[in-house]
Amino acid sequence: MVATPAPAAHATDDLPRRPVDWLPMALVPAVALIAIPFIGSPSTWLTLTIAGLAMGVIIFMISSGLMLVFGLMDVMNFGHGAFITLGAYVGLTIFAPLSVWIDSSNLALNLLVLTLGLLAAVVVAGAVGLVFDRVLIRPVYGNHLKQILITMGGFIVVEQLIRAIWGAEMVTLNIPAALRGSLFIGDAAIERYRILALVVGAGVFAAMLLILTKTRIGLQIRAGVEDRDMLEAMGYRTRHLFVAVFVAGAMLAGMGGLMWGLYQQNFTPAIGSQANVLIFIVIIIGGLGSTTGCMIAALLVGLTTNYTGFAEPKIALFSNILLMLLVLLWRPQGLYAVVNR
Amino acid sequence: MSEILLSLKNVETRIGPYHILHGVDLDVPKGSATMLLGRNGAGKTTTVRTIMNLWRASAGTIHFDGRDITNLETPDVARLGIGYVPETMGIFADLTIAENMRLAAFSGKIDTQRLERIFTMFPAIKRFWLARAGTLSGGQKQMLSIARAIVEPRRLLIIDEPTKGLAPAIVGNMVPIFRDLKQSGVTILMIEQNFAFANAIGDHVAVMDDGKVVHAGTMAELADNEAIQRRLLGLSMASHQ
Ligand SMILES: Nc1ncnc2c1ncn2[C@@H]1O[C@H](COP(=O)(O)OP(=O)(O)OP(=O)(O)O)[C@@H](O)[C@H]1O
Ligand SMILES: [Mg+2]
């Protein structure tokens, strides 16, 4: 990107090297292994593990944007769940007239309708995100209490609008035909849709890392998360950067919202507010400003939810809070905190 | 009388409920180094942050090259050609040295010759080019912060206590670097507590106390007058070594 003389390859030899911090990454396999004796049957364990990872990458999609917004601008947005609900319901609207394609056994048609749904979810969530930023967030810049109150208010308004448009009762979102059902690995049933979710989630994660590390705007975002004042003092207008990140975060949440709706298949307009709790747990566990931390936290939450949901359903939600407390006891700033706030 | 590049008139700054600057008057002549001295808590850092509009002046005016910049947003102040090295250095620890430098080059390109010069000044920048900036030592971080500020031609360099917490040997090495920078024609406004260092670099001096500039003149004049030094700076003989 920039023509600079490349220093010799050995240049970093005598570096005061700090070893790569692998421990948080080891948490995901560790939690999976610890679960084995509690689950009992290996095939059930494999099913739950795939389900947990799939849920994890979807939670990553809906959390990562909010995490960057928090880190970059210190803005408390409690209304992020609105984009999730929007994504799920916009998907519903796109799917309804195309039910012939959804029920067709032609995988290409299935994927086409899914892509259309995701595109629409992204566009609508992004547009509403832009309005959210202009109308709700800009006026309360720098004031946490007002941010919390007004974004919660905005969330309620959006949710009520969704109830008015789509109704309050439970709706069903059909997974396209070729993606329904399961593959079998031995006795373990692996739902096809979960594999798709894993692929999409991994793609989103890779794209985010690529943008954040290889592009100039990504560089600005990472720098701004660490020290916004310094970035501004170098001539960069972080206001524009923030709008871009906020809208991108809303788009991701819209996309994740539809993926989440398909994962659950049946949902109500409360789908976003229910996910909101998980999002905050993920952001706190992951640490502010780290995309990798966010992914690890989301996978941990996905796995924990699925394991405890099977082994001990009564403690399913509580188990995530326990997970959060344990992580915070170990690392009070979260797994990888780029920002200390 | 040389031309004034930066001029503050009666600048007041409040941080939340605190009234920190009580009418700062400061002139920075073009093409030379002005040292801003004063006791801890005198308001030096607040003054330069106000120039960058990281704090907003509640009264008074700031002019740069004849233009009123009092209400210019921070990025627009920087784009006038002002390089800023904050007291906290402002290193992006999670980024590599290379990424820190690339970002500092606002145009998007680092001039190769300039970079070679920076490598000569600060060999560590070259050596650790691909390392995360957070792994650098305190002195190396200070070098990086200065290198970032000069990666593109600047009209004014604002440097807040470059010697803070650095070993004397490193401080000694920095003197010729700033002298070179001065030779290249850039105007410098530097906050400095180390009097010997300030004396080695400065042409002009302003001393702050309690949110005001209480003395302004040439560096030579202040260096010759120990009575003023003691009164304004509370300097003991120890700080002359
Ligand atoms: N963010 C802040 N909030 C409240 N008060 C502040 C803040 N920053 C600085 N102050 C106060 O303003 C006064 C001036 O601080 P400033 O940092 O400008 O001094 P300084 O001359 O740079 O001191 P030093 O030599 O210690 O760096 C001090 O009394 C300080 O406590
Ligand atoms: Mg200071």
Side-chain angles (χ1 to χ4, degrees):
Chain A
M1 192 173 46
V2 180
T4 44
H10 68 273
T12 51
D13 276 357
D14 50 348
L15 196 68
R17 208 174 262 288
R18 210 175 67 186
V20 178
D21 188 6
W22 292 107
L23 278 179
M25 299 185 195
L27 271 183
V28 175
V31 165
L33 290 177
I34 289 169
I36 294 179
F38 294 98
I39 306 297
S41 137
S43 57
T44 308
W45 174 82
L46 188 58
T47 303
L48 290 173
T49 303
I50 301 288
L53 294 176
M55 177 176 166
V57 296
I58 295 175
I59 298 177
F60 168 77
M61 278 188 245
I62 61 188
S63 318
S64 49
L66 187 63
M67 180 274 298
L68 284 178
V69 164
F70 253 136
L72 185 61
M73 299 313 257
D74 201 14
V75 162
M76 301 267 195
N77 176 16
F78 277 59
H80 196 67
F83 308 128
I84 298 168
T85 318
L86 266 176
Y89 277 89
V90 167
L92 193 71
T93 301
I94 298 290
F95 280 18
L98 300 174
S99 59
V100 181
W101 289 2
I102 289 179
D103 293 329
S104 150
S105 56
N106 180 338
L107 181 63
L109 279 181
N110 287 174
L111 289 178
L112 177 65
V113 70
L114 185 62
T115 309
L116 285 176
L118 289 174
L119 272 178
V122 162
V123 169
V124 173
V128 174
L130 199 59
V131 175
F132 225 77
D133 173 60
R134 289 276 153 130
V135 178
L136 298 184
I137 296 195
R138 197 168 292 191
V140 292
Y141 218 68
N143 183 329
H144 279 160
L145 183 62
K146 283 187 183 167
Q147 285 163 9
I148 293 171
L149 294 176
I150 202 162
T151 54
M152 280 172 114
F155 190 4
I156 294 172
V157 169
V158 172
E159 196 176 307
Q160 291 305 320
L161 282 175
I162 288 171
R163 273 176 216 276
I165 298 170
W166 282 284
E169 43 313 316
M170 183 163 284
V171 292
T172 301
L173 195 55
N174 282 322
I175 295 176
L179 299 166
R180 286 174 209 157
S182 301
L183 302 170
F184 283 87
I185 301 180
D187 286 339
I190 311 290
E191 287 186 26
R192 288 197 178 89
Y193 175 70
R194 291 175 183 168
I195 296 175
L196 177 85
L198 276 176
V199 171
V200 173
V204 167
F205 180 57
M208 264 182 87
L209 283 186
L210 221 70
I211 289 170
L212 285 172
T213 55
K214 299 290 175 215
T215 70
R216 220 170 148 77
I217 194 152
L219 220 52
Q220 290 172 43
I221 292 169
R222 282 161 62 215
V225 165
E226 271 197 65
D227 189 339
R228 191 170 76 237
D229 278 356
M230 191 63 224
L231 190 64
E232 294 228 314
M234 286 178 164
Y236 296 94
R237 296 198 178 101
T238 58
R239 180 67 233 177
H240 300 324
L241 199 61
F242 174 65
V243 176
V245 171
F246 192 88
V247 169
M251 288 174 157
L252 273 175
M255 181 175 177
L258 176 51
M259 297 294 289
W260 187 225
L262 284 166
Y263 183 96
Q264 302 205 314
Q265 297 194 38
N266 302 304
F267 54 85
T268 69
I271 183 175
S273 43
Q274 284 154 5
N276 231 12
V277 182
L278 290 182
I279 296 175
F280 281 96
I281 292 177
V282 163
I283 290 179
I284 293 167
I285 291 180
L288 271 191
S290 162
T291 308
T292 307
C294 186
M295 179 54 119
I296 294 173
L299 293 177
L300 288 175
V301 165
L303 287 176
T304 310
T305 305
N306 276 275
Y307 293 145
T308 52
F310 172 80
E312 206 59 63
K314 282 187 207 124
I315 62 159
L317 178 63
F318 169 72
S319 67
N320 281 316
I321 293 172
L322 186 68
L323 176 73
M324 178 175 82
L325 291 176
L326 288 176
V327 169
L328 291 185
L329 280 177
W330 177 42
R331 296 202 169 172
Q333 301 282 344
L335 294 175
Y336 293 113
V338 173
V339 200
N340 298 312
R341 205 171 272 147
Chain B
M1 182 70 206
S2 50
E3 205 183 330
I4 301 299
L5 182 63
L6 176 76
S7 169
L8 282 70
K9 295 248 179 317
N10 205 22
V11 168
E12 299 193 20
T13 301
R14 290 159 205 271
I15 306 178
Y18 307 104
H19 196 166
I20 311 280
L21 299 186
H22 305 273
V24 171
D25 291 305
L26 174 69
D27 282 340
V28 176
K30 205 176 256 184
S32 57
T34 301
M35 298 288 141
L36 193 55
L37 311 182
R39 296 178 234 256
N40 289 108
K44 305 178 297 292
T45 296
T46 307
T47 301
V48 295
R49 281 183 62 90
T50 305
I51 295 168
M52 296 306 294
N53 208 353
L54 290 165
W55 299 129
R56 195 170 285 270
S58 56
T61 57
I62 305 171
H63 282 82
F64 181 77
D65 206 14
R67 175 175 173 196
D68 187 344
I69 63 162
T70 320
N71 293 312
L72 222 51
E73 296 295 332
T74 302
D76 300 312
V77 175
R79 289 180 197 190
L80 295 172
I82 301 182
Y84 174 50
V85 178
E87 191 171 27
T88 51
M89 300 185 283
I91 295 300
F92 302 121
D94 204 44
L95 274 55
T96 64
I97 317 292
E99 288 172 332
N100 268 277
M101 294 290 285
R102 268 178 212 146
L103 212 50
F106 187 76
S107 69
K109 277 197 205 67
I110 303 181
D111 177 72
T112 317
Q113 266 178 327
R114 239 186 137 75
L115 191 65
E116 280 306 333
R117 258 184 55 211
I118 289 174
F119 284 165
T120 318
M121 281 183 205
F122 309 117
I125 302 282
K126 181 172 186 175
R127 190 145 24 99
F128 301 138
W129 189 243
L130 294 176
R132 274 183 63 242
T135 60
L136 294 176
S137 71
Q140 291 165 341
K141 280 183 185 150
Q142 189 63 260
M143 309 291 159
L144 175 58
S145 192
I146 296 167
R148 282 192 322 195
I150 59 174
V151 68
E152 284 182 328
R154 311 281 188 210
R155 303 178 62 198
L156 173 66
L157 278 180
I158 298 179
I159 307 173
D160 195 341
E161 282 201 63
T163 64
K164 197 178 188 181
L166 298 189
I170 303 177
V171 173
N173 287 339
M174 282 165 80
V175 172
I177 288 171
F178 285 115
R179 285 196 174 140
D180 277 2
L181 280 173
K182 245 168 59 174
Q183 295 252 282
S184 74
V186 63
T187 306
I188 296 175
L189 172 61
M190 185 188 291
I191 296 177
E192 192 45 71
Q193 300 260 42
N194 178 332
F195 191 80
F197 185 74
N199 192 21
I201 295 165
D203 304 300
H204 306 273
V205 68
V207 182
M208 287 190 74
D209 196 24
D210 197 19
K212 278 203 188 80
V213 171
V214 292
H215 170 90
T218 64
M219 191 75 227
E221 183 190 357
L222 182 66
D224 283 343
N225 193 333
E226 283 199 26
I228 307 187
Q229 284 173 37
R230 216 166 296 126
R231 183 164 60 79
L232 296 175
L233 302 168
L235 288 173
S236 63
M237 291 315 287
S239 40
H240 282 262
Q241 279 146 28

